[in-house]
Amino acid sequence: MNKLAIHGGPKTKTTPFGSGNRFGEAELMELKEALEQGTLFYHYGEKVKQFLHKFNEMYGVKYSVATSSGTAAIHVALGAAGVTAGDEVITSPITDQGTVIGILYQNAIPVFADVLPDTYNLDPASIEARITERTKAIVVVHLAGSPCDMDAIMAIARKHELKVIEDCAQSYLCYYKGKLTGTIGDYGCFSTNDFKHISTGDGGMVTVNSGREDDYAVTHAFADKNYQRFDHVVSRDIHHIAPNYRMTELQGAVGIAQLDKLTWICDMREKYGTRLIEGLSGIAGVYPPKITEGGTSSFWFFLFRLDTEKLTGSVDDFVAALNAEGISCVRGYIPQPVYLQPLFQTKEAYPGTNYPFTLSEVSYEKGICPQAEEVLQTSVRIGISEFYTPGDIEEIIEAIAKVAAHMIKGGLS
Ligand SMILES: *Cc1c(COP(=O)(O)O)cnc(C)c1O
């Protein structure tokens, strides 16, 4: 076998990855129509309404609410679920900070449960072990397009009467036992920021899965300063605070065109991710991710693990060698679990005070989620794009196999 590129050998990937333009004529047409309405306000225009209607049809839900971001969508779901000061909310330590920001804005306390070592998603047993009298809700994160073990999680939630919010920012059209993620818990939260499967620049959606009109009204109002805007009836009585997280008609317009592409985007990613798992299976020292039993993934990115005991170098050495082969990659998804961030280490969400952490016994010490810490230390993340070609995927597999063959103990170099 050839020398590694990092040692002066030939690079595995010498041609550019497949690429494409995610926006086109359809988005332009929608934007033009939005502007011609003479209003960009969601309640007066038609674009956000059409966008949600289309999304609801795709997801088979009766109600959803548009928001200004995915972070906003999660905050809205928490507000609608009644999460308030002093409540505890259990979530995953391997996620974007957008998952926990809304919890803290409600003056509730994030509690981190551990993940499973092969799906990188919340371990139901660890969730149950973290439940206290204060626990009000669980925010599950379907990481990188892969579903959590929802049967087990829903059973725990029912037993302890907890609300379940699904963070689907990375998991469009991802199925769990025939159901779409985002339709299984009480609320499903999506992001349309510019890095997600579909983009409206920024934006988000919350599904209201009870299908009840009163739940919808509360959710809708929480994204709009607690204004109640339904048809021609507008009420501005405010009983509690709520932020302004409204989506504009411009975002709604782009979203309509983007939804038309979503099935294709997710199909391509599923095909490529599934092929990567197959291609990496059986390479010594490399563990591809596992998809939860009964699930499908739309692979927002691809995270695989290394068996460092079997390799001569470190994870960082592996990452450097794979980058040199022409496959851009980094260690982990985020550098460290969310609870090791300064905010949690100092328990200072609001400068100068430890509130609301003072209300709870929660701990954010290193070691509270050993699997999550281990996953982030020993994994490698590569991007996946719907615009890649099948040949790109084969070259990624080839490059990983080459680096692993050189780095395996008793192997080539
Ligand atoms: C992107 C993301 C968010 C936040 O979405 P924004 O639209 O950027 O606010 C929340 N959770 C996860 C898991 C994400 O990937």
Side-chain angles (χ1 to χ4, degrees):
M1 188 181 276
N2 281 320
K3 259 170 78 172
L4 287 175
I6 202 167
H7 296 146
K11 255 171 109 163
T12 308
K13 182 90 178 115
T14 54
T15 55
F17 281 96
S19 63
N21 196 341
R22 64 199 305 209
F23 308 116
E25 279 302 314
E27 283 80 4
L28 269 176
M29 279 298 299
E30 289 290 342
L31 280 169
K32 185 168 177 290
E33 282 178 22
L35 289 164
E36 285 168 356
Q37 295 179 134
T39 178
L40 294 177
F41 182 44
Y42 82 95
H43 186 60
Y44 297 151
E46 291 302 320
K47 294 303 179 188
V48 171
K49 292 185 189 100
Q50 277 174 30
F51 170 60
L52 289 179
H53 181 73
K54 209 162 175 169
F55 178 77
N56 290 350
E57 298 249 291
M58 278 182 97
Y59 269 79
V61 297
K62 193 163 167 199
Y63 296 118
S64 59
V65 171
T67 60
S68 53
S69 72
T71 305
I74 296 162
H75 189 184
V76 168
L78 290 158
V83 170
T84 189
D87 288 341
E88 290 178 357
V89 178
I90 299 174
T91 193
S92 171
I94 302 186
T95 189
D96 180 83
Q97 61 258 50
T99 310
V100 298
I101 285 171
I103 302 173
L104 289 166
Y105 266 116
Q106 288 305 101
N107 281 303
I109 300 127
V111 172
F112 296 95
D114 210 354
V115 301
L116 294 163
D118 47 8
T119 67
Y120 327 136
N121 278 329
L122 278 169
D123 176 353
S126 180
I127 294 178
E128 191 152 33
R130 307 276 153 114
I131 293 172
T132 72
E133 282 164 8
R134 288 189 174 276
T135 311
K136 183 70 168 273
I138 306 168
V139 180
V140 300
V141 179
H142 304 295
L143 193 75
S146 289
C148 294
D149 184 356
M150 289 308 287
D151 279 353
I153 292 170
M154 293 309 291
I156 292 165
R158 270 187 219 108
K159 186 167 135 200
H160 298 272
E161 294 181 30
L162 306 175
K163 296 284 185 185
V164 175
I165 295 164
E166 296 177 76
D167 180 344
C168 303
Q170 305 181 1
S171 68
Y172 280 99
L173 299 186
C174 135
Y175 285 89
Y176 173 79
K177 300 191 178 168
K179 291 185 196 146
L180 280 164
T181 57
T183 67
I184 304 166
D186 296 283
Y187 303 90
C189 303
F190 295 79
S191 165
T192 55
N193 87 18
D194 210 45
F195 310 100
K196 298 293 159 42
H197 290 75
I198 52 171
S199 167
T200 62
D202 267 309
M205 298 81 89
V206 190
T207 62
V208 182
N209 296 333
S210 71
R212 285 170 46 157
E213 197 175 345
D214 54 344
D215 287 336
Y216 168 62
V218 169
T219 312
H220 187 279
F222 198 86
D224 192 0
K225 300 184 281 183
N226 269 334
Y227 265 85
Q228 317 269 323
R229 294 183 220 265
F230 297 101
D231 300 320
H232 299 291
V233 187
V234 176
S235 149
R236 54 192 304 176
D237 291 349
I238 50 165
H239 298 277
H240 305 289
I241 61 161
N244 173 355
Y245 285 154
R246 299 184 304 228
M247 180 183 270
T248 74
E249 287 290 281
L250 295 174
Q251 292 157 295
V254 174
I256 293 169
Q258 288 279 289
L259 280 180
D260 283 336
K261 301 171 184 173
L262 185 58
T263 302
W264 174 76
I265 291 168
C266 292
D267 283 353
M268 293 304 284
R269 285 170 176 263
E270 186 189 353
K271 188 173 98 179
Y272 289 156
T274 305
R275 171 64 195 137
L276 280 173
I277 289 179
E278 181 189 74
L280 300 191
S281 303
I283 298 179
V286 170
Y287 296 120
K290 193 183 142 203
I291 307 302
T292 302
E293 190 80 28
T296 66
S297 176
S298 55
F299 296 94
W300 186 55
F301 54 70
F302 190 87
L303 196 69
F304 64 95
R305 291 188 67 180
L306 299 177
D307 185 344
T308 42
E309 306 257 290
K310 291 201 182 124
L311 299 173
T312 52
S314 68
V315 177
D316 289 331
D317 294 335
F318 194 100
V319 165
L322 194 54
N323 273 300
E325 293 298 328
I327 310 302
S328 145
C329 63
V330 294
R331 179 174 60 75
Y333 157 50
I334 46 174
Q336 55 187 355
V338 176
Y339 59 81
L340 292 178
Q341 288 288 334
L343 185 162
F344 291 102
Q345 291 304 300
T346 60
K347 292 192 173 176
E348 215 175 303
Y350 298 91
T353 171
N354 295 128
Y355 188 83
F357 300 110
T358 45
L359 301 173
S360 160
E361 305 288 295
V362 66
S363 158
Y364 299 118
E365 274 160 46
K366 193 168 166 56
I368 56 167
C369 299
Q371 296 290 354
E373 292 176 19
E374 189 71 13
V375 165
L376 293 174
Q377 286 302 323
T378 59
S379 58
V380 180
R381 169 164 56 99
I382 51 181
I384 288 197
S385 163
E386 57 277 11
F387 294 117
Y388 284 1
T389 66
D392 291 335
I393 302 299
E394 296 311 313
E395 286 173 316
I396 294 173
I397 296 168
E398 202 185 307
I400 294 169
K402 179 182 170 189
V403 173
H406 278 273
M407 282 182 58
I408 198 83
K409 281 183 182 157
L412 291 172
S413 53

